[in-house]
Amino acid sequence: MTKRKIIEARPAIEIGKVLGSRDGGTSYRRCSPIVRGTVLDDIVLSRIRHEQDGDVAVPDCHVVSFRNAIGWRGLVLTEEDILVKESLVNRAEESAPLGFTRIGSDDRFEKDVSRLARLKPRPGRHVYLSLQWDGNFGHWLIESLPRVAVLREVVDFRGACFVVQNHTAALASKYAEGLAYYGISKDQIWMSSGKPERFEELIYATPVTRCPLVKAPLVVETLETLGKQIGTTSTSPSRVFLSRPDTSRSRLVNRGDVKQLFLDWGYHEVRPSELTLTEQMQMLGNATHVAGVLGAEFSDLVFAKKGVHILGLTSDGWPDDWYWNLVSLKHGQYFSLHGPTTPTPGEIRPFVVDLEELKEIAALFDEEIGRREAQLRSKANASSFLGLFVSIAREISGASLEAVDGQTAIADIGLDSLAMVEFTSRLEEQLEIEIGMMELAGVRTLGDLDVLLHRLIERRSTRSDSRESKNADHLRVKPASHDELPSTARQPNLLRHFARRLPTVSTPHRHVVLQPGLNLPFAAPILMAVHCWPEGPRGLIVKIDATGPPARGGIRVHLAGPLPDHPNAVVCFRFRGRLAKELEPTVPLYAQIGVELLSPGTMQDAVLCVGAGSEYIAGTCLEETSRTARGTLTVAVERCSAPADELFLELRLATAGLERSAVGVVVEMSDAYLGQDT
């Protein structure tokens, strides 16, 4: 029979030995946030309520010592079974934190502590740094590390053991690096398993934050001092675009298009997850403007310049709180753009931001962006492509298209969805550019399209100049000889289709509709242009270029119409990507693929090949049945002097009896291939 006990929560200074205290700083007011996009109602109401908070009360930091106290995932319980109130700082909304059942709204709890009473104390002095969410880098940096500076003022660190929670190896290295700034060695760090532990002497610095909307100025002052000690480098940028890993919960579906816009605007991409803490301080030390997807990496803005502006991109259900409060302490300005979330299984919530809305808020966020966009519009007005638009549209639809101008809506030029694919394909061919699907989604008028094309031409010119001036080594796939290909891949009737480039011709069937697979983060079908060649004994070849790495959940492709003249078809899927920058001199490139026919027909041959630039390098035939095919391909990647770091992975299917093609494809590739967006 369990015996539950009433547990009180009281302030640390009332129940422990106070070793010292530090003023958290003066009260402050949060800046007025500028928020755009699609935001859920409760998120909006919460922000409005907090905009009316007035002065923010600031907590002080007290260093308190306890004998035989228990530390448990951030909670501190004294020998007398009293909870340290401040250790509940991030658990105010929990009705039963770690099994301590809250009684009413008072600081009283109920729990059976008989098992805890039997814990034997670990000998020696232990400085307890753990907080509830310190498994997140941002919480560790803002909530835990600044308290070490206060502890150092009143505690002799020699011989002390510092308790942190055992999370991941990557975070453990950040723990060690941060604590080393204060003279704490790795040998002094003890990684707690998350189970309750009793300590002979537990030293606790009370939190100087109340998540998510209260942080003491002490936090920013301490980390700024640390950043100044580290210093910056000559390459530390003033304008930064922060990139998050694909594994993060908030995944921006059109990240490639968004990132490219910021690169066009002169921003420098920084990937904090790939940097040491010291490198993060250096990279942000000169920053006046920081943009990117909101997440733990944004806590690095604490090292940025005073008055920093931030533009956070996030989903419709993400609250504007933690970083709004943090940038207020930097005397800066908070901007955010929310996008609708795509429902997916699990915790990951992909979202999309509207590129036109992004341009509007970005011009407010950074005056330089506003000037660049104004110059681009002026350039488009001075040398408009309007005549080209009208000429191509007339050829496709036969409409007269009189009295059109930059204000004419795209929907009013008489082209249906498939004709629009033909329209944009012609523009790409004549102007030698590539129009991104998500970029095109934000185009509403011919004037918008005019500006977009000038942007893409300018981007093409910038990339060309960059390639010509680049002297560093590049990466390429190690060529495979013809003899190294599987015998079936060397058969003339298949090899001829992927061993040389064939001319592009117009056909009535050069359009496809890309339908989302189960995990593909698109809310609606997307139209794409394809290239077709009426050549070869197997009939029509349909080649589909999908920029960026394919969604791991797979894609499903349907031809827009039947193929009466070509009942047998070779369907070609091509995925383009770039190698990750930081690679060993030679690494394997790995790809695994699975294919299934989703409409009547027979699989005859399936070949998976890889290439660099426009050259095919190696291939393998897949194991196939009449309806499915699967297989893997591994080649070597090595550094070389030729600029051939852009790769493609291509799947070719020879089929029979397909009157209307429907094929499902699932692709998994190594990190080397997925390292960088195209």
Side-chain angles (χ1 to χ4, degrees):
M1 181 177 178
T2 61
K3 188 175 181 180
R4 300 181 69 82
K5 180 178 181 179
I6 302 299
I7 308 291
E8 273 191 280
R10 294 169 57 189
I13 58 175
E14 294 182 7
I15 53 179
K17 179 182 178 181
V18 179
L19 303 180
S21 297
R22 175 85 174 272
D23 190 337
T26 58
S27 60
Y28 62 95
R29 290 202 172 195
R30 303 184 190 98
C31 64
S32 297
I34 298 175
V35 180
R36 298 287 188 272
T38 305
V39 193
L40 299 183
D41 291 344
D42 57 338
I43 301 297
V44 174
L45 293 174
S46 174
R47 187 188 73 246
I48 292 174
R49 184 173 65 253
H50 288 298
E51 284 186 68
Q52 301 168 355
D53 282 348
D55 290 344
V56 178
V58 174
D60 296 329
C61 185
H62 305 288
V63 180
V64 185
S65 174
F66 301 95
R67 303 295 298 181
N68 295 320
I70 291 173
W72 186 11
R73 292 170 61 184
L75 286 185
V76 177
L77 181 69
T78 71
E79 187 177 22
E80 297 78 21
D81 293 334
I82 301 173
L83 277 171
V84 175
K85 185 175 181 178
E86 291 88 345
S87 70
L88 290 159
V89 63
N90 292 337
R91 300 181 184 270
E93 304 300 321
E94 295 183 29
S95 60
L98 296 180
F100 289 84
T101 304
R102 197 181 297 272
I103 301 174
S105 58
D106 298 330
D107 293 323
R108 299 171 69 243
F109 300 82
E110 186 180 29
K111 183 176 177 62
D112 178 10
V113 293
S114 57
R115 184 173 64 89
L116 299 179
R118 293 192 292 269
L119 292 175
K120 293 185 178 180
R122 289 177 58 89
R125 285 185 304 135
H126 290 76
V127 180
Y128 193 71
L129 297 178
S130 294
L131 288 175
Q132 181 187 12
W133 293 327
D134 58 7
N136 175 285
F137 169 74
H139 285 280
W140 157 254
L141 179 67
I142 301 300
E143 297 194 281
S144 295
L145 193 57
R147 294 185 293 140
V148 180
V150 180
L151 283 158
R152 188 172 60 173
E153 296 174 359
V154 296
V155 176
D156 184 356
F157 284 180
R158 291 174 299 180
C161 186
F162 293 79
V163 182
V164 295
Q165 292 195 63
N166 189 9
H167 293 288
T168 64
L171 193 56
S173 68
K174 293 290 195 302
Y175 285 153
E177 188 179 3
L179 294 176
Y181 296 138
Y182 296 101
I184 301 167
S185 69
K186 287 185 178 181
D187 294 339
Q188 292 178 272
I189 302 172
W190 186 66
M191 309 293 286
S192 169
S193 65
K195 296 179 180 179
E197 299 280 354
R198 189 181 295 278
F199 302 98
E200 182 180 51
E201 181 182 6
L202 184 150
I203 299 173
Y204 184 68
T206 59
V208 285
T209 58
R210 288 196 290 271
C211 188
L213 276 162
V214 176
K215 299 171 189 67
L218 169 65
V219 170
V220 170
E221 293 166 5
T222 301
L223 294 175
E224 282 179 341
T225 299
L226 200 56
K228 289 175 182 177
Q229 292 172 357
I230 299 300
T232 59
T233 69
S234 59
T235 58
S236 299
S238 61
R239 287 172 165 80
V240 171
F241 180 80
L242 295 177
S243 282
R244 303 199 75 192
D246 276 339
T247 53
S248 57
R249 287 192 302 168
S250 297
R251 181 182 298 165
L252 179 59
V253 172
N254 54 338
R255 182 187 63 176
D257 293 325
V258 169
K259 183 182 78 173
Q260 186 57 60
L261 272 178
F262 278 97
L263 295 180
D264 292 344
W265 291 330
Y267 278 65
H268 183 95
E269 183 185 14
V270 175
R271 301 182 179 186
S273 62
E274 299 175 5
L275 303 177
T276 65
L277 186 52
T278 295
E279 290 170 336
Q280 291 176 49
M281 293 180 190
Q282 292 173 333
M283 291 302 292
L284 272 292
N286 282 334
T288 59
H289 294 76
V290 180
V293 177
L294 287 181
E297 294 84 356
F298 254 87
S299 295
D300 280 348
L301 71 91
V302 74
F303 304 117
K305 293 281 191 182
K306 286 282 189 185
V308 62
H309 284 201
I310 73 167
L311 172 53
L313 311 176
T314 190
S315 65
D316 49 14
W318 187 284
D320 296 286
D321 46 27
W322 177 269
Y323 303 105
W324 169 31
N325 184 75
L326 188 56
V327 80
S328 297
L329 283 168
K330 296 286 294 182
H331 307 291
Q333 182 60 56
Y334 179 85
F335 299 80
S336 70
L337 176 61
H338 296 249
T341 303
T342 302
T344 57
E347 293 186 356
I348 292 178
R349 293 291 181 266
F351 69 99
V352 179
V353 296
D354 184 282
L355 296 183
E356 294 306 310
E357 287 185 337
L358 173 59
K359 293 169 191 172
E360 292 174 7
I361 194 171
L364 299 175
F365 154 72
D366 185 347
E367 292 181 357
E368 179 61 27
I369 291 178
R371 282 192 289 269
R372 285 174 179 255
E373 288 297 296
Q375 290 171 358
L376 197 60
R377 286 192 295 272
S378 176
K379 188 175 181 180
N381 291 334
S383 56
S384 174
F385 290 117
L386 191 61
L388 179 62
F389 299 160
V390 172
S391 172
I392 294 176
R394 282 174 176 169
E395 290 180 15
I396 295 173
S397 68
S400 60
L401 294 179
E402 301 294 339
V404 297
D405 57 24
Q407 300 301 315
T408 302
I410 297 290
D412 294 338
I413 63 175
L415 301 179
D416 61 22
S417 57
L418 291 180
M420 271 303 300
V421 176
E422 174 72 8
F423 178 75
T424 54
S425 296
R426 298 270 195 94
L427 289 175
E428 288 180 317
E429 291 169 5
Q430 294 199 32
L431 300 177
E432 297 183 350
I433 57 175
E434 292 185 11
I435 303 175
M437 295 176 291
M438 303 301 283
E439 288 181 309
L440 196 59
V443 172
R444 296 172 177 83
T445 67
L446 291 178
D448 294 340
L449 181 59
D450 214 340
V451 172
L452 173 61
L453 297 186
H454 278 85
R455 185 192 311 281
L456 296 176
I457 291 171
E458 187 176 276
R459 184 181 300 167
R460 180 194 64 195
S461 175
T462 302
R463 285 179 173 175
S464 177
D465 293 343
S466 174
R467 283 195 294 268
E468 290 175 2
S469 62
K470 191 172 181 181
N471 296 318
D473 284 349
H474 295 267
L475 300 166
R476 72 176 176 188
V477 177
K478 182 179 179 181
S481 69
H482 185 268
D483 293 335
E484 291 177 306
L485 294 175
S487 58
T488 50
R490 296 200 302 269
Q491 293 175 1
N493 64 341
L494 281 180
L495 189 63
R496 61 189 284 173
H497 289 309
F498 67 81
R500 61 189 179 89
R501 297 177 64 85
L502 299 173
T504 301
V505 296
S506 298
T507 103
H509 307 291
R510 59 174 300 167
H511 311 296
V512 299
V513 178
L514 181 65
Q515 299 280 4
L518 290 178
N519 296 325
L520 189 64
F522 292 114
I526 297 170
L527 297 174
M528 299 178 61
V530 302
H531 306 287
C532 304
W533 296 274
E535 172 152 338
R538 303 211 176 256
L540 188 68
I541 301 174
V542 182
K543 174 182 171 185
I544 302 165
D545 275 354
T547 58
R552 289 180 174 84
I555 65 170
R556 180 177 300 174
V557 178
H558 299 263
L559 291 182
L563 307 174
D565 297 331
H566 301 286
N568 300 333
V570 173
V571 184
C572 169
F573 302 83
R574 174 178 286 199
F575 303 104
R576 290 175 293 162
R578 290 182 183 273
L579 288 170
K581 293 181 179 178
E582 300 299 330
L583 291 177
E584 298 297 326
T586 302
V587 296
L589 173 68
Y590 168 82
Q592 177 173 298
I593 199 160
V595 190
E596 180 181 4
L597 295 184
L598 303 175
S599 62
T602 303
M603 187 92 65
Q604 294 199 333
D605 287 294
V607 176
L608 181 64
C609 10
V610 68
S614 61
E615 298 298 321
Y616 290 89
I617 307 257
T620 183
C621 284
L622 307 184
E623 296 180 8
E624 60 201 35
T625 67
S626 62
R627 305 283 301 171
T628 65
R630 67 186 59 200
T632 61
L633 176 64
T634 303
V635 294
V637 177
E638 64 179 13
R639 297 189 183 281
C640 68
S641 57
D645 56 338
E646 182 168 300
L647 302 177
F648 63 82
L649 181 73
E650 190 164 287
L651 167 67
R652 298 217 165 198
L653 307 175
T655 60
L658 284 181
E659 292 187 357
R660 188 178 183 89
S661 175
V663 183
V665 183
V666 176
V667 183
E668 291 184 1
M669 291 184 285
S670 61
D671 290 340
Y673 185 86
L674 297 175
Q676 195 175 27
D677 290 335
T678 56

